[in-house]
């Protein structure tokens, strides 16, 4: 058993011994169909804290000859697979955590030489009958072992892209490319590789790195394929956890959901909702909903990108803060930290980092959930170019108080201001823009309410319904009108009984009718209170 070559299963045992562990072992069944095939080279990219390292430790524990994990895996779903045990602890595994190695290296320019030397030493220890020379690369060692024993290798490289993200020296990067080239682009090494599994935050870098990894099948947040449900928690898994630990599922969904993945499997279109696992677990353990994922990074990631100020990006950011989706072309970004040419490149980068969610059906992106929205608000607060938008966001707390107090004039005045900042001249009179203006004005309300747009209610669709998280607050039913009057909107709420869908809600309600006059570019508002029996 070694550290790099044929590691033990201690890391995975520790993970599975935690209070909360979600079984993702059926991922191995997918890989069992790929292993030793022409598709055996895999690169999986996901945002931080979405389970990449957990799965790498799981694969190491399953395949490594350095441990006996049959009893460990016998209690998980993979034990029911017809291929269970076929490769269980029967392959040589080389596992490299590139991020950990980089962070711990005292002389970073000698990082690859250090890793190579450590793996070569373990090869000599585990295969004493063979001779390994000081100038042997990792690939050379693999070939020697395979030629002498016929034993194949699984290569697990976690956070493969860290040297790209850190903009390391040219000398170190050149050595890294040599390592990748030797392992993955050599016909001599290919027969010795049973499976190569790389993870990263960014997909394969489409400049210098692509030539070394162009034989890899990529599973990204944009196109996650059959591995979609194995990185991050699915909706059914979160529902089960919420039930087990008495957590409100709707609140959990509003805080941590928003990543919609779709793929084709055997001619069938499949979909799943993916939640941030780190945040869900922390929420259960602490008994509260908060921005746990954001606490592990910095909103400056957003700030640095939106400050590049590509044409149209400010309008798109404000629209997304207001709850809208915006168009994005995800095909041009080269997956690097430098090649930002258009706003779509910036948005695509932020999708890969998890700050935006992508919808493949209409090629749009949006802010996925409450947790991530707070990171965007933090970024805007620090950016002078968004000072007016930030002022509206800050004023939204007072606006909610005025609404609850029945101050219709304050609501209308706030909408006059926010409407300007969520629309271009071309879309100013668009009805959806009015809805976005309301969403922006009431953004603070999301701390106390769950917002539903175009909710099926009574005899039609209410434009916006805010359902309180606490019974101490009234529900808000908002109806919008265009070139009519606020009283008409208010009457429609009552005539179509939009409150009927809230019959299980025991609190009071506020009916809010809003009209927008496109000639005066002004709003008027009426608020009426309903006390339920």
């Amino acid at each position: 058993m070694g550290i790099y070559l044929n590691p033990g299963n201690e890391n995975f045992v520790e993970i599975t011994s935690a209070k909360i562990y979600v079984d993702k072992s059926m991922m191995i069944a997918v890989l069992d169909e790929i292993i030793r095939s022409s598709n055996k080279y895999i690169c999986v990219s996901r945002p931080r804290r979405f389970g990449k390292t957990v799965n790498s430790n799981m694969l190491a524990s399953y395949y490594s000859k350095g441990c006996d994990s049959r009893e460990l895996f016998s209690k998980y779903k993979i034990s029911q697979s017809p291929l269970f045990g076929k490769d269980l602890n029967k392959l040589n595994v080389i596992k490299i955590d590139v991020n950990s190695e980089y962070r711990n290296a005292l002389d970073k320019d000698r990082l690859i030489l250090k890793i190579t030397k450590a793996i070569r030493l373990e090869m000599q220890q585990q295969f004493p009958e063979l001779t390994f020379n000081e100038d042997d690369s990792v690939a050379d060692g693999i070939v020697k072992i395979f030629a002498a024993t016929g034993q194949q290798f699984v290569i697990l490289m976690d956070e493969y892209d860290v040297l790209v993200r850190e903009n390391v020296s040219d000398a170190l990067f050149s050595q890294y490319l040599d390592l990748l080239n030797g392992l993955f682009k050599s016909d001599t090494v290919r027969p010795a590789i049973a499976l190569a599994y790389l993870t990263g935050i960014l997909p394969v870098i489409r400049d210098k790195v692509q030539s070394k990894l162009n034989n890899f099948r990529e599973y990204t947040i944009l196109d996650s394929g059959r591995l979609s449900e194995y990185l991050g928690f699915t909706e059914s898994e979160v529902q089960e956890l919420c039930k087990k630990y008495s957590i409100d599922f709707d609140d959990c969904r509003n805080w941590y959901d928003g990543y919609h993945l779709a793929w084709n499997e055997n001619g069938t279109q499949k979909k799943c909702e993916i939640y941030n696992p780190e945040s869900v677990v922390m929420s259960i353990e602490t008994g509260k909903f908060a921005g746990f994922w954001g606490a592990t990074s910095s909103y400056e990631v957003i700030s640095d990108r939106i400050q590049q100020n590509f044409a149209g990006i400010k309008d798109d950011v404000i629209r997304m803060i207001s709850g809208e989706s915006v168009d994005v072309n995800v095909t041009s970004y080269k997956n690097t930290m430098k090649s930002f040419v258009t706003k779509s490149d910036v948005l695509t980068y932020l999708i890969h980092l998890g700050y935006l969610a992508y919808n493949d059906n209409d090629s749009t992106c949006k802010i996925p959930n409450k947790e991530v929205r707070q990171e965007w608000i933090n970024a805007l607060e620090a950016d002078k170019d968004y000072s007016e938008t930030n002022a509206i966001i800050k004023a939204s707390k007072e606006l909610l108080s005025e609404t609850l107090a029945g101050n219709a004039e304050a609501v209308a005045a706030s909408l006059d201001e926010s409407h300007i900042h969520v629309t271009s001249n071309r879309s100013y009179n668009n009805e959806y823009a009015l809805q976005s203006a309301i969403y922006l004005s009431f953004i603070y309300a999301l701390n106390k309410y769950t917002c539903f747009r175009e909710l099926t209610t009574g005899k039609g669709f209410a434009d916006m319904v805010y359902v309180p998280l606490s019974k101490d607050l009234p529900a808000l039913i908002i109806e919008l009108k265009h070139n009519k009057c606020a009283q008409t909107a208010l009457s429609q709420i009552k005539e179509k009984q939009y409150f009927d869908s809230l019959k299980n809600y025991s609190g009071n309600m506020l009916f809010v009718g809003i009209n927008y006059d496109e000639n005066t570019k002004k709003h008027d508002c009426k608020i009426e209170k309903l006390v339920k029996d």
Side-chain angles (χ1 to χ4, degrees):
M1 182 177 72
I3 303 299
Y4 304 93
L5 175 61
N6 294 325
N9 57 18
E10 294 86 0
N11 285 339
F12 190 56
V13 168
E14 182 177 301
I15 291 167
T16 58
S17 299
K19 174 184 176 181
I20 300 171
Y21 171 70
V22 174
D23 180 6
K24 296 290 186 178
S25 64
M26 284 305 290
M27 179 183 185
I28 297 170
V30 176
L31 297 182
D32 279 341
E33 299 177 15
I34 296 172
I35 198 168
R36 300 186 181 86
S37 74
S38 58
N39 297 322
K40 63 188 178 182
Y41 295 94
I42 294 172
C43 183
V44 177
S45 57
R46 287 295 188 281
R48 294 176 298 104
R49 309 294 187 180
F50 268 68
K52 300 186 297 294
T53 299
V54 169
N55 283 357
S56 289
N57 284 323
M58 177 182 72
L59 298 181
S61 298
Y62 186 83
Y63 291 118
S64 174
K65 294 177 65 177
C67 54
D68 181 356
S69 299
R70 179 171 292 276
E71 183 178 354
L72 175 61
F73 282 96
S74 64
K75 51 191 174 184
Y76 298 121
K77 295 176 183 178
I78 186 59
S79 63
Q80 305 303 313
S81 168
L83 295 178
F84 177 66
K86 180 176 180 291
D87 288 311
L88 179 62
N89 301 134
K90 295 179 180 177
L91 292 165
N92 292 302
V93 170
I94 294 178
K95 184 175 184 297
I96 305 173
D97 182 344
V98 183
N99 183 56
S100 176
E101 295 297 324
Y102 177 74
R103 302 298 172 196
N104 293 326
L106 297 179
D107 185 351
K108 298 191 184 305
D109 279 344
R110 294 181 57 82
L111 172 65
I112 305 304
L113 297 176
K114 173 180 174 290
I115 293 173
T116 301
K117 182 177 180 180
I119 294 175
R120 188 171 60 236
L121 177 61
E122 291 188 3
M123 286 178 170
Q124 186 66 77
Q125 292 170 342
Q126 296 183 39
F127 296 91
E129 70 279 11
L130 303 179
T131 301
F132 299 91
N133 303 316
E134 288 189 3
D135 58 349
D136 280 344
S137 65
V138 175
D140 291 333
I142 288 173
V143 170
K144 285 186 177 182
I145 293 170
F146 178 70
T149 68
Q151 297 178 20
Q152 289 185 300
F153 284 75
V154 170
I155 299 178
L156 305 174
M157 190 174 287
D158 201 19
E159 302 288 2
Y160 94 93
D161 59 333
V162 69
L163 300 188
V164 177
R165 291 187 274 117
E166 292 294 331
N167 291 319
V168 299
S169 70
D170 290 342
L172 174 55
F173 199 71
S174 177
Q175 293 175 39
Y176 186 51
L177 292 180
D178 288 341
L179 174 68
L180 298 179
N181 189 62
L183 290 173
F184 307 126
K185 295 296 292 183
S186 168
D187 282 343
T188 303
V189 180
R190 178 181 290 271
I193 305 298
L195 177 70
Y197 180 91
L198 275 58
T199 77
I201 292 178
L202 296 176
V204 172
I205 313 304
R206 289 163 56 187
D207 54 7
K208 297 178 181 178
V209 178
Q210 185 182 39
S211 63
K212 315 305 178 188
L213 302 178
N214 60 8
N215 54 336
F216 275 71
R217 166 69 168 92
E218 292 192 71
Y219 296 83
T220 74
I221 197 72
L222 302 174
D223 181 12
S224 52
R226 294 179 62 192
L227 298 183
S228 296
E229 58 193 301
Y230 301 115
L231 289 104
F233 288 170
T234 65
E235 185 164 89
S236 61
E237 290 167 344
V238 174
Q239 284 178 323
E240 187 175 333
L241 287 171
C242 287
K243 182 179 179 180
K244 180 177 180 181
Y245 294 101
S246 300
I247 299 294
D248 187 281
F249 172 69
D250 288 334
D251 282 347
C252 193
R253 176 171 54 195
N254 290 332
W255 270 92
Y256 308 125
D257 185 21
Y259 303 95
H260 312 288
L261 304 182
W263 70 101
N264 188 288
E265 187 173 328
N266 299 323
T268 302
Q269 186 75 9
K270 293 192 173 185
K271 299 179 181 179
C272 70
E273 301 284 320
I274 291 295
Y275 291 62
N276 185 321
E278 170 83 0
S279 298
V280 172
V281 169
M282 288 296 294
S283 177
I284 292 172
E285 290 182 346
T286 62
K288 65 180 181 180
F289 297 106
F292 301 108
W293 182 68
T296 66
S297 184
S298 170
Y299 63 80
E300 291 179 355
V301 174
I302 300 173
S303 300
D304 290 346
R305 297 283 76 86
I306 63 177
Q307 285 174 1
Q308 292 182 278
N309 215 19
F310 290 110
I313 197 167
K314 182 177 180 180
D315 290 341
D316 281 356
V317 167
I318 295 173
R319 288 172 60 196
M320 289 190 292
I321 288 289
S322 304
E324 289 191 55
S325 296
V326 301
D327 294 332
V328 59
N329 172 16
V330 298
T331 63
S332 63
Y333 177 49
K334 296 185 181 298
N335 307 331
T336 73
M337 301 294 292
K338 298 179 179 179
S339 58
F340 298 100
V341 179
T342 67
K343 70 174 181 179
S344 279
D345 291 342
V346 171
L347 297 179
T348 304
Y349 170 70
L350 293 172
I351 290 170
H352 286 301
L353 267 62
Y355 290 105
L356 294 173
Y358 180 64
N359 186 335
D360 185 50
N361 292 328
D362 57 8
S363 299
T364 61
C365 63
K366 67 177 184 178
I367 298 173
N369 54 48
K370 186 174 181 178
E371 178 182 43
V372 177
R373 185 182 300 111
Q374 186 57 54
E375 292 302 297
W376 279 88
I377 291 173
N378 291 341
L380 298 195
E381 187 176 23
D383 193 325
K384 63 181 181 180
D385 289 337
Y386 293 85
S387 58
E388 292 176 330
T389 303
N390 186 51
I392 293 173
I393 293 172
K394 286 185 174 181
S396 67
K397 182 176 182 179
E398 181 179 350
L399 176 65
L400 178 60
S401 297
E402 296 286 8
T403 304
L404 298 180
N407 189 343
E409 291 77 12
V411 175
S414 176
L415 293 178
D416 287 343
E417 183 70 20
S418 61
H419 199 151
I420 297 171
H421 295 289
V422 298
T423 57
S424 62
N425 289 332
R426 185 173 56 185
S427 64
Y428 196 96
N429 296 327
N430 185 295
E431 290 186 16
Y432 195 77
L434 173 57
Q435 195 177 80
S436 296
I438 293 173
Y439 194 89
L440 179 60
S441 291
F442 281 94
I443 198 165
Y444 175 79
L446 298 180
N447 292 306
K448 299 177 181 293
Y449 287 83
T450 299
C451 179
F452 299 93
R453 293 189 178 197
E454 297 184 347
L455 182 68
T456 302
T457 57
K459 301 176 183 178
F461 296 88
D463 286 322
M464 302 182 79
V465 175
Y466 284 80
V467 179
L469 304 176
S470 167
K471 294 181 179 180
D472 297 332
L473 295 170
L476 307 178
I477 299 178
I478 302 176
E479 181 65 19
L480 314 176
K481 287 299 175 185
H482 187 230
N483 293 331
K484 293 183 180 179
C485 69
Q487 183 60 52
T488 301
L490 203 61
S491 298
Q492 182 169 316
I493 294 174
K494 292 181 282 188
E495 290 169 4
K496 294 195 174 183
Q497 298 176 3
Y498 287 163
F499 49 85
D500 188 59
S501 66
L502 301 177
K503 59 187 176 183
N504 294 325
Y505 169 69
S506 60
N508 299 328
M509 298 184 192
L510 286 182
F511 299 160
V512 183
I514 297 171
N515 178 65
Y516 169 66
D517 188 317
E518 66 178 62
N519 292 319
T520 64
K521 290 184 168 51
K522 293 290 184 179
H523 304 77
D524 63 294
C525 174
K526 285 188 177 296
I527 300 174
E528 188 172 307
K529 186 175 184 179
L530 171 67
V531 179
K532 295 189 69 177
D533 296 333

